[in-house]
Each structure stands twice: as C-alpha cells, then as structure tokens.
Amino acid sequence: MSTVLPVTASPEHDETNALDRVRALESEYLLQTYARYPLVLDRGKGCYVFDPSGKRYLDFITGIGVNALGHAHPRLVRVIREQASRLWHTSNLYFHAYQGPLAERLAKASGLHRTFFCNSGAESMEGALKMARAHGRKISPEKFELVALHNSFHGRTFGALSITGQEKYRRDFEPLLPGAHFVPPNDEVALEQIVSERTAGIILEWIQGEGGIFPMSIEYVRKARELADRYNALLIFDEIQCGVGRTGKHFAYQLSDPIVLPDVMVVAKPLACGIPMGVIVANDRAAESIGSGMHGSTFGGGPLACRVALEFMDILDELLPNIDKMGSYFRAKLEELQKQFHFIKEVRGQGLMIGVELTFPGKQLVLDAMEQGLLINCTHDTVLRFLPPYISGEKEIDRAVSTLKRVFKLAAKRGDAAV
Ligand SMILES: Cc1ncc(COP(=O)(O)O)c(C=O)c1O
C-alpha cells in the first residue's frame, strides 16, 4: 500500500509537519532533479493558493505561466466535471468531437492553418524540429542545420536541448543534435552570417522567458522572416511561455504591425490551464513536411484537454483587454518602485509577462516574498519574474506591489546589493 500523506490542517499535522513529511518521502523516492521552495500547496481559488495550514499566497507565477485563469475557475471546473464523467481519453486511433473545433479555433486566432496536438512544451518543440528536418531533407540531405539564439530556452528533451542557447542545460548531455548554431539575439548581422542554404529552421522566442524576459526587436524578427524565405527554411516561433494571451495578444508575434507570421508555432503552458497540452500550429507549406505515420502521440489532444482549451479560448477573448491594461498598470507601479530602489536595473516585458532585473541575485527575495504571501520566481539569476493570472485586477497588483516594496526594503536594509 502506498503512503498517503495527510497534508490538511489539524493540530498534529501543522504546516511544518506537512512540509517535513512531504520532503522526506520525496527525498527518498524521487529523482532529485528539483530544488523546490519550502512550501506545500494544498488548494487554490482565483488568484490565490493555500498551504496546508490555510495560509494564503497571491500566485503571481501561476505554475510558470500555466494557471492563466488562476485556480478552480468555475467555468473550467464545470467543463472538467462534465467531460470527466463522459470520456477523457481516446488515443488518436479514433475521432472525438473536440480536436477539430480547437484546431479551427487556433487557425483562426493564429493565421496558421494546421495543428498537431501533444502534451508539453518540449514535446511540441520536438515535433516542430522534426518538421524542419523533414522539410530540409526533401530539398537536400545537406539541409539539416538549425539556427537558434543565445540565452533561449526550448525544453529538456534532446532536440529541444540542442537548440537551447544556455550551456548549463546542455553540457551534461552532449553530444546533442548536430548542426545547431547559436547567434546573439537582436543581432541582424550575426543572423545573416549564419543562415544559409543548409539551414532547415530558425527558432526564436519573441520574448525570451527563462532567459530573463528579453524581447526581440521587430526588425530582428523581420530579418529572420526574410532569411527563412530567402533560403527556404522554416521560421519557428516558440510561444510556449509568451503565447496564448500572455502579452495581451493571442500570440506574441501579433504585437508586430504588419504581423510577422512564422511557418510553425509551438504553444503549451496556458492553453489548457494546467491539463497538459502542447500544440504545433503550422502553415500549409510547413505542414506538408509531415505525412501520415511520421509523427504521433498517445495522449495528445485528448477530449478532456481539448474541451478545457476550447473553454479557455472563449474566456481569453473576453480577457485580452484586461491583460493589456493590467500589464501596463503593473509595469507603471514597478517603475515607481525602480525610482525608490537603486538596485532595480530594469523593468521589462509585455502584458502580464514581466521581469524586474536586479543588480544582484534574486533568490533570497523570492523566499522573502513567499514568506510575505506572494509567489514569484527568479530567472537568469537576477531577474524577478512575474506571470500573474489573466484574471488579475488592480487589487491583486496593488497587493503584490506593496509586498514587493516590503521585500525590497528588507533587501536594502540587509545590504543585498552590496554583496
Ligand atoms: C519558451 C519555452 N519553451 C519550451 C519550454 C518547455 O516546456 P515544457 O516544460 O512544457 O516542456 C518552456 C518551459 O518553460 C519555455 O518557457
């Protein structure tokens, strides 16, 4: 029989106990891959999550950009209940009623015609890379190279790692895919020098997420589009973190005017709000590279995930203006803090994808914020990252900002910036 840990509050099972017990069992039986924060999450409602003692935390990291509608959103709960009691898995041996409508929805929102369903960000990137390879191979066996950016993050599988431009993720697993080249972001000359007839795909994030909330310039992305066209390569946008509403548009590339369309886009995190789902969305030219039997997934595009995503897409249409408005409101408040604390180097981002770069590592500040009831994280060592739920209002943002102010005051008092 398995050990079931009582984590809900009771005199014998207080928060510390719950944390100790959960941690002890995990340290014995789990691969030790994660450095978790010392917090057990027990339940969530709206923009908040609760630990076993009932302490409330404002969730401004949302499972790294996944819980886009916060927690236990009543419309998602209804759809999940309804579909779970009906049918939740079919495999792709059979049809069900929801893949088609969701693919149509994605096509209309993106301008890209064909969708493949899978289960995570890395898996969708793997599929996109296979498309680039197959596309190149049809033209020439020499056309297999991939061009990606320094500082990027595309996932932990072999293909995705091969184009992730951060040595720390790659080095333990080399050799990876041959023919991957890295260039500095926003350097049009470097890009032009590396892309050639041998290039099968150019991959970029519009706003690098794990890389510290770094946006690409529109001119740079236009250059990538021009080079992909010149050399008949596929332009692949990784919208796993910056896509599906996060920036206030359905997809981040829609921030450009006129819009720079990719050939292939990969999307995951918020699409089914925590029910695992990744998608590859491609134009017809790219879609032709993958024929029958060349790719597949047992779990991809199940009826439960598709229904949740469909419901989410409906809600998202209503929420896009809020994301834009609250993003501007939040950034303005953070810029006010920047004037008060000299160690805030920069406030960056778009919509509800925001980074605050510090002059020193931010790990301790994340722990301080957690202690004070605010969940955020730190990426690229010095960048505090905020991925609040799309349902956030001024009240939640004001609360986050006043907590941050206390955290920054503490850091100033401790002299963190001097270390
Ligand atoms: C831009 C980007 N691409 C790919 C991934 C990998 O996604 P997953 O963890 O779902 O495999 C992530 C995850 O953080 C990401 O931010």
Side-chain angles (χ1 to χ4, degrees):
M1 219 176 78
S2 59
T3 315
V4 178
L5 297 166
V7 290
T8 37
S10 77
E12 316 92 274
H13 301 133
D14 62 18
E15 188 198 348
T16 330
N17 259 330
L19 176 61
D20 287 348
R21 269 138 13 113
V22 168
R23 195 153 46 186
L25 201 62
E26 285 200 5
S27 74
E28 195 172 347
Y29 291 110
L30 261 65
L31 274 187
Q32 295 299 294
T33 51
Y34 297 115
R36 297 195 209 278
Y37 295 116
L39 174 64
V40 178
L41 295 180
D42 186 40
R43 67 191 172 88
K45 185 96 190 116
C47 296
Y48 289 90
V49 283
F50 298 82
D51 73 12
S53 76
K55 181 174 169 183
R56 183 169 91 135
Y57 299 81
L58 180 59
D59 185 3
F60 264 32
I61 190 64
T62 55
I64 323 187
V66 170
N67 300 110
L69 300 183
H71 300 271
H73 191 285
R75 282 176 63 179
L76 299 188
V77 170
R78 184 182 52 74
V79 161
I80 291 171
R81 283 214 173 110
E82 203 179 285
Q83 192 58 39
S85 62
R86 207 178 166 85
L87 184 71
W88 66 64
H89 174 73
T90 55
S91 83
N92 284 294
L93 287 176
Y94 309 103
F95 294 101
H96 64 72
Y98 305 108
Q99 280 196 14
L102 181 55
E104 182 186 31
R105 203 60 202 276
L106 290 167
K108 286 191 172 145
S110 69
L112 302 167
H113 195 76
R114 290 196 181 271
T115 287
F116 176 85
F117 291 105
C118 55
N119 309 283
S120 70
E123 192 189 350
S124 56
M125 183 50 83
E126 286 302 307
L129 295 180
K130 280 175 75 177
M131 288 173 85
R133 271 287 187 89
H135 167 82
R137 206 181 155 77
K138 277 187 185 159
I139 299 163
S140 152
E142 301 297 309
K143 193 174 180 65
F144 63 89
E145 293 185 356
L146 300 167
V147 175
L149 306 190
H150 287 307
N151 211 33
S152 59
F153 183 83
H154 298 293
R156 307 283 196 150
T157 50
F158 267 100
L161 262 188
S162 302
I163 50 148
T164 286
Q166 299 188 57
E167 177 65 19
K168 65 179 179 196
Y169 295 113
R170 288 203 315 265
R171 65 175 162 245
D172 294 317
F173 306 100
E174 285 170 340
L176 297 168
L177 276 187
H181 299 286
F182 294 99
V183 285
N186 288 332
D187 182 339
E188 291 167 48
V189 176
L191 190 64
E192 181 133 27
Q193 277 168 357
I194 203 81
V195 178
S196 74
E197 297 291 351
R198 295 167 63 90
T199 306
I202 304 173
I203 305 105
L204 58 89
E205 299 159 79
W206 262 87
I207 303 176
Q208 292 186 328
E210 302 303 304
I213 317 293
F214 273 108
M216 294 306 116
S217 74
I218 288 174
E219 296 71 36
Y220 184 71
V221 185
R222 264 191 231 299
K223 173 58 82 178
R225 178 69 273 172
E226 181 198 316
L227 292 168
D229 289 342
R230 192 190 304 165
Y231 294 106
N232 195 4
L234 297 185
L235 181 61
I236 302 172
F237 289 168
D238 180 341
E239 293 248 359
I240 289 164
Q241 191 163 144
C242 63
V244 213
R246 183 54 65 193
T247 64
K249 299 281 181 194
H250 278 110
F251 304 105
Y253 63 82
Q254 293 164 341
L255 292 165
S256 55
D257 182 18
I259 287 174
V260 183
L261 270 175
D263 299 301
V264 181
M265 163 176 74
V266 290
V267 160
K269 289 182 183 289
L271 186 56
C273 295
I275 306 293
M277 171 170 265
V279 297
I280 307 168
V281 196
N283 62 19
D284 286 326
R285 181 173 78 100
E288 274 169 19
S289 64
I290 288 279
S292 175
M294 286 173 70
H295 197 52
S297 165
T298 300
F299 291 109
L304 184 69
C306 285
R307 276 210 64 193
V308 174
L310 274 166
E311 188 71 16
F312 170 61
M313 292 297 281
D314 279 348
I315 299 170
L316 180 62
D317 290 344
E318 295 158 25
L319 276 179
L320 285 176
N322 185 62
I323 296 168
D324 196 41
K325 196 164 144 212
M326 288 305 113
S328 304
Y329 182 76
F330 194 13
R331 276 197 311 282
K333 295 269 169 181
L334 291 169
E335 278 155 14
E336 277 171 30
L337 286 184
Q338 188 183 10
K339 289 187 198 125
Q340 295 164 47
F341 297 96
H342 67 93
F343 51 73
I344 300 181
K345 246 169 99 175
E346 198 177 14
V347 176
R348 288 191 292 268
Q350 191 71 41
L352 289 172
M353 179 173 189
I354 300 176
V356 169
E357 183 167 358
L358 307 171
T359 57
F360 59 90
K363 197 172 163 204
Q364 183 56 45
L365 274 63
V366 173
L367 290 167
D368 296 341
M370 196 176 95
E371 179 66 33
Q372 308 229 13
L374 172 68
L375 301 188
I376 56 173
N377 91 336
C378 177
T379 184
H380 219 59
D381 201 31
T382 55
V383 182
L384 300 181
R385 175 170 49 177
F386 303 88
L387 300 170
Y390 301 172
I391 53 171
S392 304
E394 288 185 6
K395 204 168 117 203
E396 286 78 25
I397 290 169
D398 289 346
R399 190 185 176 94
V401 170
S402 60
T403 306
L404 282 169
K405 192 167 175 177
R406 287 199 299 278
V407 166
F408 289 145
K409 273 189 183 159
L410 195 67
K413 204 165 142 199
R414 268 197 314 252
D416 285 3
V419 182

